[in-house]
Amino acid sequence: MKVEAKILLGLGLFFGLMCAVYWNWSLENAGGVMMFAAMLLGFLPGSYYYWWSRRMKQRPEDNPQATQTQGAGVVGAFPGSSIFPFVMGMGAFFVVLALVFGIWLLVPGLGLVVWALLGGTAEGRRGGQH
Amino acid sequence: MPTPALPPQGAPDRSRRWRRVRRAAALPLAALVLSGCTVPGFGASAGVTESSKSAFHLWQGFSIGAVIIGALVVVLMIYAMLRYRRKGDHIPVQHQYHLPLEVIYTVVPILIVFGLFAATLVVENKATANPQTNVVVNVNAFQWGWQFLYPGTHALVYGQTTQSPTMEIPVNTNVHINLTSTDVIHGFYVHAFNFSRYALPGVVNQFTIRAQSTGTFFGQCTQLCGLYHSLMFFQVKVVSASDYAKWIASFNNPADIAAAAAALKTTNAELASGVASKNTYTKFGR
Amino acid sequence: MTDVLDPPVHVEPHDGGHEEHHGPTGILNWLTTTDHKVIGLSYTVTAVIMLVIGGLFAEIIRGQLATPNGTLVSLAQYNELFTMHGSVMIYLFAGPFAFGALANIIVPIQIGAPDMAFPRLNALSYWLYLTGAITMLSGFFTAGGAANFGWVGYAPLSNSLNTPGAGADLWIGGLLLTGFSAIFTGVNLVATIFYLRAPGMTMFRMPIFTWNMLVTAILILLAFPVLTAGLIMLYADRHFGTHIYSVAGGGVPVLWQHIFWFWGHPEVYILALPFFGMVTEIIAVFSRKPVFGYKGMIFATLTIAALSLGVWAHHMFTTGVVLLPFFSIMSLLIAVPTGIKMFNWIGTMWRGQIWFSTAMLMAIGFLFTFLIGGLTGIYLASPPLDFFTHDTYFVVAHFHSVVMALVLAGMAGLYYWGPKITGYLLNEKIGKAQFWFLFIGSQVFTIPLYILGLQGMPRRMAVYPHDPQWKMLNDLSTLGAVLIGLSTVLFVVNVVVSWKKYPAGDNPWDAHTLEWFTTSPPPHHNFYRLPQIRSERPTWDHNHPEHRALHHGEHEPAHENAGAKQ
Ligand code: HEM
Ligand SMILES: [Cu+2]
Ligand SMILES: [Cu+2]
């Protein structure tokens, strides 16, 4: 986890430096703000990972000498199939079409999105279909 | 951010070394740039203004560098491909690192890059310099044509698409251009000047051109501006100082004067409504 | 070998093993799948269709430009065509092909993961991509036609005053959908790479392709939200009466350019890095050597990513309102890590045993074409040179050298990994013919454009009546475009001809990485067993334990005759 954290922190540091140089030199706000946000995007997850990396014990994937047996066990739930991504996608499609062709399309759009959210969550609780 | 204190003699030492490095990188390039007249143009042309020529020389310098580096890489690649074609089933030695080599092809490009940057700065400062001048043209781009207004005189030229309005300027004189747009973004581009600049609504872009030979040069809008963008032409006619004075004086009938006055007023009103005064968007680089 | 672990190591909560997956079949299977390989395959097919559509637009463009006063299409249609050509190629082909198609399939397998971290989110990404593509392209069927303000949609040309009509809104809507699709894929890739690596697969043992995809994903997360925000503001300007980008109400048109290119330049590397990764793997495998300077390669990738966020305004040098020196030096500096990569690729081939398969030929075609595109890019980083090449065909030629190199690399990827995904090889003879058409076509297409640009031909011109002497170079370029078109036909022919004809086996190329350790195609959840991972080439180490990679100054152990065994 250390390497992951350091990559993000390093990027954040670099963006921070670049932001300072650029903003002070150009006085141009749009780019300054965007670079500042980029810096945060490096620092926020980066420091979170770093914090964790000091608290957790070494994971097998971080151990250069790990054997495959160390990885045995449950990795996570990987649902084999689910209709809800498709439902959600269609919902988003209609929402976007509502931007173009009329507000009424939000009705089917948001309907599908809500259905997918509820259905997907319930499915997730069950651990997914296989 | 506080910088760690350097040993007293450290700082000058380092900066001197740095300057030496910069000079070492810049020298061959400068030599190439100076000898520009005898080297090929690599597709570009020198143009007719002072800055078009220095841009052209910079172009030649960059091209020589590109050709050398490109040739080196191509030779290495072709050599590797011919020499190390698969000849059997044996497995080659599995070398993976060669640190000195890697350092070399990291450091040398950095030096080249700083050389290119130094040369760029020199030419760039020339191209964007704005010396004081007494010939001023307000160029106003619109869909799909150009308006050239000569403040302080009654001269006004405008035309749409292939009518190609003509902007006249005197030779060997610094001509100050105030460029803006009334609607969308357009691009003011004259090939013979090796130069282009956006005409932005709400912003007055200023630059100076100094044409060194007379003639008529073709110009065209280069930034997509809608339906007739492909046909948004204009000309720049560079004439002698006396011809220029005659041309300006020819705008003397009452209709011309009224048109120029009206145009000046609308342009000023448009500019006043824009954000030209917001210095965050216009102030740097000069 | 003793270091192979059998039985399976990834135990799932419900089926507890690797029996074949029993889900719905047929169309319902396609709609409900969450298997990264099936989703990746859908992505691949969709993206290749987009390449063909975008290519057809390009052929019409080149047809129109074959004569100075072309009448194949009208001025209005021409604007729609190059806008949609650029949009389809960038938004719907190159990006999704890289991070939706190949990364989706290959990355989990390369790191020994059973699937992407969030399989359902992954499926959602695909549906957003597909609907986004449909949304954007459906502009052609509306009364006002498709979007016509260029793929960059500069304000104020893109506001409701200058471009009313549904086509523009559909363009925005399509970009919102594909933008979210990209963001979700980015999240998924980062989570997968951070959390689902196999034991022993430390970060510095990940294949370069996976590394590049990680960096690409981080760039996606940094850049795409900016574009999405910019598009929402553009939509608000168009429909809610705001004046964010219009001077009339106190807005700033250039703000759109800042936002667009703050996304747009990193996007260039979001497009390019995955293809760099593919080429790196392919060159190493077909030279039978490890990637030369593996760590330097990773360092170069990270440097490119870091710098790429600080160079956006090199697309705005001629606006006159950006800080020229800052953007100039940052852009020039990107040449350094890119050069490192170039030399590392050559170093990988050096003293190798180069096998010129179709995949390798395509990768070498990439090297040459990308070299041209990269060198001409250096000019554009210098403001005085950009002043006279900006918005001319020189720029069009520059980025087409780059994107045609990416197409070559993408084809290399398909020839290399296609057998892993489908279980069948493609025909090498047709493949090599395709390579020559594509490679020669790319050069014949781009090189005249460089010259035209330097002679002053601006881009986005439907006609050039003032300069009929440009016809000859334009015709040459059109010929190149036709050759490229033929190469695509050959590709389709190859797929049809080799359909299920040449079984690939698990590891037809004697390749290095984990995906070649499993079957072709891999089983549901990818692996029955995994080898011990002790370097970034676990499959190679497993197959050639006596030929591990050497460090600088290290010598091959005394087994010179061991090679004979292989
Ligand atoms: C079949 C090969 C291709 C041909 C013949 C081709 C041809 C062209 C031409 C002639 C233009 C300039 C149109 C104009 O400015 O008037 C253009 C623009 C463009 N092309 Fe391509 N192209 C090809 C492949 C690609 C690929 C693979 C990509 C990206 C992955 C791409 C991205 C673009 C973009 C972004 C533009 C700019 C559009 C704009 O100006 O808004 N092209 N193409
Ligand atoms: Cu225009
Ligand atoms: Cu860029």
Side-chain angles (χ1 to χ4, degrees):
Chain A
M1 218 62 219
K2 279 233 164 53
V3 182
E4 289 90 327
K6 280 182 186 155
I7 290 171
L8 292 168
L9 289 175
L11 284 175
L13 190 70
F14 183 80
F15 296 148
L17 282 175
M18 223 166 36
C19 174
V21 171
Y22 176 73
W23 213 339
N24 282 309
W25 190 359
S26 74
L27 304 178
E28 188 273 313
N29 293 326
V33 170
M34 289 187 287
M35 278 210 224
F36 189 80
M39 178 192 77
L40 290 184
L41 244 146
F43 277 144
L44 294 180
S47 38
Y48 174 76
Y49 283 137
Y50 191 73
W51 185 79
W52 260 111
S53 73
R54 295 172 54 103
R55 265 156 200 78
M56 65 207 255
K57 56 181 198 300
Q58 191 184 41
R59 304 178 303 170
E61 56 262 51
D62 293 328
N63 174 7
Q65 300 306 326
T67 58
Q68 293 306 338
T69 14
Q70 283 173 279
V74 176
V75 203
F78 295 94
S81 63
S82 166
I83 190 67
F84 294 110
F86 178 70
V87 176
M88 178 79 100
M90 289 303 122
F93 186 32
F94 279 105
V95 169
V96 161
L97 290 183
L99 292 178
V100 186
F101 295 118
I103 199 93
W104 61 272
L105 280 162
L106 279 182
V107 177
L110 291 179
L112 287 169
V113 168
V114 170
W115 176 29
L117 279 177
L118 296 178
T121 313
E123 185 187 62
R125 290 261 171 91
R126 287 197 307 274
Q129 294 168 353
H130 260 276
Chain B
M1 233 173 95
T3 37
L6 290 165
Q9 75 282 34
D13 212 356
R14 194 174 288 186
S15 78
R16 201 175 314 134
R17 194 179 319 141
W18 172 231
R19 218 176 301 137
R20 212 179 306 137
V21 166
R22 227 172 17 182
R23 209 175 304 142
L27 260 183
L29 226 122
L32 287 176
V33 170
L34 287 178
S35 65
C37 322
T38 52
V39 293
F42 299 98
S45 45
V48 297
T49 66
E50 212 169 79
S51 55
S52 78
K53 283 169 192 160
S54 52
F56 174 64
H57 290 157
L58 185 65
W59 170 271
Q60 290 173 311
F62 267 61
S63 298
I64 291 168
V67 166
I68 293 172
I69 296 172
L72 173 76
V73 174
V74 167
V75 165
L76 286 176
M77 263 175 354
I78 292 185
Y79 177 82
M81 281 160 49
L82 296 179
R83 173 79 174 67
Y84 305 117
R85 275 202 330 271
R86 184 167 195 168
K87 293 192 191 78
D89 246 355
H90 91 267
I91 294 179
V93 181
Q94 301 290 301
H95 282 306
Q96 187 163 27
Y97 292 100
H98 191 294
L99 205 58
L101 198 61
E102 290 178 64
V103 169
I104 288 174
Y105 61 66
T106 310
V107 172
V108 171
I110 291 180
L111 296 181
I112 296 177
V113 156
F114 277 98
L116 294 177
F117 182 58
T120 292
L121 277 186
V122 172
V123 179
E124 174 186 303
N125 289 342
K126 233 188 267 177
T128 53
N130 266 317
Q132 205 59 46
T133 63
N134 41 20
V135 177
V136 178
V137 190
N138 288 350
V139 179
N140 203 352
F142 56 90
Q143 282 172 324
W144 288 273
W146 303 88
Q147 181 200 60
F148 303 106
L149 182 72
Y150 293 70
T153 77
H154 304 310
L156 166 69
V157 185
Y158 55 87
Q160 287 195 14
T161 62
T162 47
Q163 290 169 339
S164 307
T166 302
M167 171 172 108
E168 281 209 26
I169 55 169
V171 73
N172 287 327
T173 311
N174 289 334
V175 177
H176 186 89
I177 307 267
N178 292 318
L179 177 67
T180 190
S181 158
T182 46
D183 38 50
V184 300
I185 301 171
H186 301 272
F188 176 95
Y189 170 63
V190 182
H191 179 238
F193 294 173
N194 278 349
F195 188 76
S196 72
R197 197 37 86 76
Y198 280 3
L200 291 166
V203 172
V204 185
N205 259 324
Q206 315 190 20
F207 54 93
T208 304
I209 41 184
R210 185 185 178 87
Q212 293 179 316
S213 39
T214 58
T216 303
F217 306 104
F218 181 67
Q220 185 167 7
C221 174
T222 46
Q223 178 54 44
L224 178 66
C225 56
L227 189 56
Y228 293 105
H229 165 63
S230 326
L231 300 172
M232 195 170 146
F233 300 156
F234 65 97
Q235 329 249 6
V236 179
K237 192 170 169 191
V238 182
V239 296
S240 69
S242 57
D243 284 353
Y244 174 71
K246 257 184 255 162
W247 180 76
I248 288 285
S250 72
F251 290 88
N252 59 358
N253 68 56
D256 284 345
I257 296 172
L264 191 61
K265 207 183 287 162
T266 41
T267 318
N268 284 347
E270 269 152 15
L271 293 185
S273 76
V275 290
S277 59
K278 281 196 185 160
N279 63 359
T280 51
Y281 276 90
T282 52
K283 258 271 185 61
F284 39 71
R286 337 211 139 93
Chain C
M1 289 307 305
T2 49
D3 57 353
V4 178
L5 198 88
D6 213 359
V9 293
H10 290 301
V11 184
E12 285 93 28
H14 293 286
D15 60 8
H18 284 274
E19 320 95 64
E20 274 321 290
H21 160 62
H22 304 292
T25 51
I27 178 103
L28 203 60
N29 180 28
W30 182 59
L31 293 183
T32 62
T33 186
T34 52
D35 181 343
H36 72 105
K37 296 181 290 294
V38 182
I39 296 170
L41 208 55
S42 306
Y43 257 113
T44 313
V45 173
T46 317
V48 170
I49 292 174
M50 290 302 148
L51 173 65
V52 171
I53 293 178
L56 285 177
F57 294 162
E59 300 295 336
I60 303 175
I61 292 174
R62 288 307 332 164
Q64 163 79 4
L65 294 176
T67 54
N69 289 301
T71 49
L72 192 58
V73 293
S74 68
L75 293 186
Q77 285 167 330
Y78 188 81
N79 286 357
E80 287 174 41
L81 276 173
F82 68 70
T83 301
M84 293 311 279
H85 163 68
S87 301
V88 167
M89 287 297 197
I90 301 279
Y91 303 117
L92 305 182
F93 159 64
F97 181 82
F99 54 72
L102 286 184
N104 215 332
I105 300 175
I106 300 303
V107 165
I109 319 184
Q110 274 196 333
I111 58 174
D115 201 319
M116 291 284 252
F118 310 114
R120 291 183 298 174
L121 189 67
N122 197 18
L124 175 60
S125 284
Y126 175 70
W127 297 116
L128 293 181
Y129 162 54
L130 184 67
T131 53
I134 294 170
T135 307
M136 194 189 288
L137 283 168
S138 61
F140 279 111
F141 305 110
T142 61
N148 59 4
F149 35 56
W151 78 283
V152 299
Y154 273 9
L157 183 62
S158 51
N159 67 14
S160 53
L161 197 71
N162 292 296
T163 315
D169 290 324
L170 287 167
W171 183 82
I172 294 174
L175 285 191
L176 287 174
L177 287 170
T178 53
F180 276 110
S181 156
I183 292 171
F184 293 157
T185 305
V187 170
N188 228 331
L189 280 170
V190 173
T192 308
I193 294 172
F194 279 6
Y195 284 103
L196 289 183
R197 303 194 307 272
M201 177 64 79
T202 60
M203 288 296 275
F204 284 99
R205 281 181 189 164
M206 296 195 311
I208 292 287
F209 179 68
T210 296
W211 258 107
N212 282 25
M213 286 320 306
L214 171 64
V215 177
T216 304
I218 292 174
L219 276 181
I220 289 176
L221 297 181
L222 288 164
F224 267 84
V226 176
L227 176 71
T228 305
L231 287 167
I232 290 171
M233 290 191 270
L234 181 62
Y235 185 82
D237 263 15
R238 290 174 61 85
H239 294 286
F240 302 149
T242 58
H243 290 283
I244 298 165
Y245 304 125
S246 63
V247 179
V252 183
V254 174
L255 179 60
W256 166 261
Q257 294 182 34
H258 277 293
I259 292 176
F260 184 86
W261 289 115
F262 193 86
W263 162 82
H265 193 85
E267 165 75 0
V268 171
Y269 288 101
I270 291 169
L271 299 186
L273 288 178
F275 293 97
F276 291 175
M278 294 175 204
V279 166
T280 310
E281 304 273 305
I282 289 166
I283 290 180
V285 165
F286 291 100
S287 305
R288 311 197 86 189
K289 278 187 57 202
V291 174
F292 184 75
Y294 168 82
K295 292 214 171 107
M297 210 72 158
I298 294 167
F299 169 76
T301 305
L302 285 168
T303 315
I304 288 180
L307 287 171
S308 77
L309 254 87
V311 301
W312 73 90
H314 64 206
H315 300 269
M316 301 162 60
F317 281 152
T318 62
T319 57
V321 294
V322 296
L323 186 60
L324 300 178
F326 179 84
F327 291 108
S328 174
I329 184 65
M330 296 298 267
S331 309
L332 284 169
L333 277 175
I334 290 197
V336 175
T338 315
I340 295 179
K341 279 181 180 282
M342 203 77 200
F343 287 113
N344 280 344
W345 286 323
I346 298 174
T348 307
M349 292 195 287
W350 210 256
R351 305 224 175 110
Q353 287 279 318
I354 303 176
W355 170 12
F356 290 99
S357 66
T358 304
M360 184 63 176
L361 280 178
M362 295 279 185
I364 287 173
F366 161 91
L367 290 186
F368 278 103
T369 317
F370 182 71
L371 177 67
I372 301 177
L375 286 174
T376 52
I378 297 178
Y379 292 88
L380 297 172
S382 172
L385 302 181
D386 182 68
F387 288 165
F388 73 92
T389 46
H390 182 74
D391 273 341
T392 70
Y393 263 92
F394 186 83
V395 169
V396 176
H398 152 68
F399 69 69
H400 277 87
S401 283
V402 174
V403 295
M404 291 318 298
L406 301 188
V407 171
L408 279 156
M411 283 295 162
L414 283 180
Y415 276 87
Y416 175 64
W417 277 309
K420 178 49 66 181
I421 307 164
T422 61
Y424 294 92
L425 296 159
L426 286 166
N427 183 306
E428 283 282 305
K429 274 223 179 71
I430 305 179
K432 284 177 183 161
Q434 182 201 347
F435 163 75
W436 287 110
F437 273 91
L438 183 55
F439 180 66
I440 295 176
S442 299
Q443 318 311 328
V444 175
F445 158 55
T446 51
I447 287 172
L449 297 186
Y450 285 109
I451 305 172
L452 279 170
L454 292 171
Q455 294 182 354
M457 180 163 170
R459 66 193 282 200
R460 299 169 174 161
M461 293 281 139
V463 290
Y464 44 102
H466 188 267
D467 305 88
Q469 77 277 12
W470 286 339
K471 176 172 165 29
M472 207 195 65
L473 286 169
N474 270 300
D475 284 353
L476 202 57
S477 177
T478 302
L479 173 70
V482 171
L483 294 180
I484 296 171
L486 288 176
S487 83
T488 315
V489 173
L490 280 176
F491 177 67
V492 176
V493 167
N494 198 350
V495 172
V496 173
V497 167
S498 346
W499 192 256
K500 304 215 164 168
K501 215 171 181 180
Y502 317 106
D506 291 354
N507 188 1
W509 319 118
D510 193 7
H512 301 165
T513 41
L514 274 186
E515 74 270 30
W516 303 100
F517 194 81
T518 184
T519 53
S520 311
H524 191 58
H525 292 172
N526 298 340
F527 291 97
Y528 294 115
R529 58 202 188 112
L530 282 168
Q532 213 71 289
I533 299 166
R534 288 295 174 264
S535 79
E536 83 275 7
R537 301 192 297 168
T539 304
W540 172 275
D541 290 346
H542 178 77
N543 292 337
H544 307 281
E546 68 284 14
H547 288 285
R548 61 182 185 80
L550 301 175
H551 283 264
H552 179 49
E554 204 182 346
H555 291 285
E556 188 99 321
H559 61 262
E560 296 310 334
N561 56 350
K565 273 197 303 200
Q566 281 302 322

